[in-house]
Amino acid sequence: MSDSQQHLTQKKIATIRQSLVKRKRSETRFRAYGVVSILCSLSFLVFLLTSVIATGVGAFISSEIELTLRLDKQSHQTSPRSLIRDQLKIEFPDVTSRSERRELYRLVSVESEYILQRKLVEQALSDTSLSVWLPMSDKFNQYRKGSSKVAMSEQELNWYHSLLEQERIRTTFNWRFFSLGDSRNPEVAGIAGAFMGSLFTLLTTMLLSFPIGVGAAIYLEEFAPKNTLTDIIEVNINNLAAVPSIVFGLLGLAIFLNVLELPRSTPLVGGLVLTLMTLPTIIISSRASLKSVPPSIRDGALAMGASRTQVVFHHVVPLALPGMFTGTIIGMAQALGETAPLLMIGMVAFIVDVPQGFLDAATALPVQIFLWSENPERGYVELTSAAIIVLLFFLFLMNGVALYLRRKLETRW
């Protein structure tokens, strides 16, 4: 080999080495960018969850005050509000002016009279006293939790510490948050009404969207002829999956409420609207599951003499069901977190009673979060974050069930 050829070869080798080094550096930078992006995403997620949990954990505890009421035959005919106020005046006899008494009455929640009413119904007429724990007002409740944004007067602090020294103030788990409906007073407001509304709405959505979506997917994938009409239907289904959810709310408002005149603010109408919204997702995922079944399954069944219908429903659909279930659960999880379409059909009303059926006026959990987020009181800030925690729990649970079903039932070819 001549010197010129050897020099040219060495130059090519050096160029290749430089190219390899440059490519390796580029790959290293790309991996670093990927790691940095993942870390940024995780840090934002951790910050979000930490802030929500730190704010909402206070809603799961409640402060209560013990009052011992002296009862007689006339007590059951006296209003619970008067009984509470009379007992507070007995506890603090130095409070004489009208303004001070108004402040004293704010020591307990306004809803305490309804709680006491239920206690009096359960109480025997022969009893001479009744010891009852009543929820404190939001101001004292927040002070008890250590909130620095609560401004307490010296007199209110004296009342609070006097009861605290007598061990008549306690902190307990806030069961009312899970057992009561919405309220104008944050210390006794709960998510039971919104939870049952979401449950009835999702049941309606599930009962309608799964059979319709799976049936449509089976027909389009296995039986429908390949022509212009089916192509148009497929394109529209794919486009509907990307339509903003508020459009479905407008559609439900126009058809279900204005034309069909179905009852407003009910889980039935909410379920119908969410059915329209989740159908494209279920159809697309179900068709993908049907496509994933190997053609050899169909060919083998046909070779054994099975009809087209038997091939589809006896062999293909059972193998595609895990993917169909997964797509349906993901669609239900998406429907659980939707707010805009429910706002359009009136499920944004202030509902105190817990709904008992599909035709009762109700709201939903994400709508309840939206309503509470508009209130500036510290108690509602806690309730908003606590409701978000509950909603995220059910979303994670539903996605976990979908992942479990996919791994447990999916057949790998």
Side-chain angles (χ1 to χ4, degrees), residues 196-197 199-205 207 263-271 355-362:
M196 293 303 297
L199 178 62
F200 288 130
T201 302
L202 286 182
L203 283 176
T204 304
T205 306
L207 294 175
R264 192 180 182 88
S265 304
T266 58
L268 175 62
V269 180
Q356 303 297 323
F358 295 91
L359 297 178
D360 294 339

Side-chain angles (χ1 to χ4, degrees), residues 78-98:
T78 307
S79 66
R81 179 185 299 182
S82 299
L83 290 176
I84 294 174
R85 292 184 174 183
D86 292 342
Q87 184 60 33
L88 288 174
K89 287 188 288 187
I90 294 174
E91 296 287 344
F92 301 96
D94 55 330
V95 179
T96 56
S97 66
R98 180 176 298 180

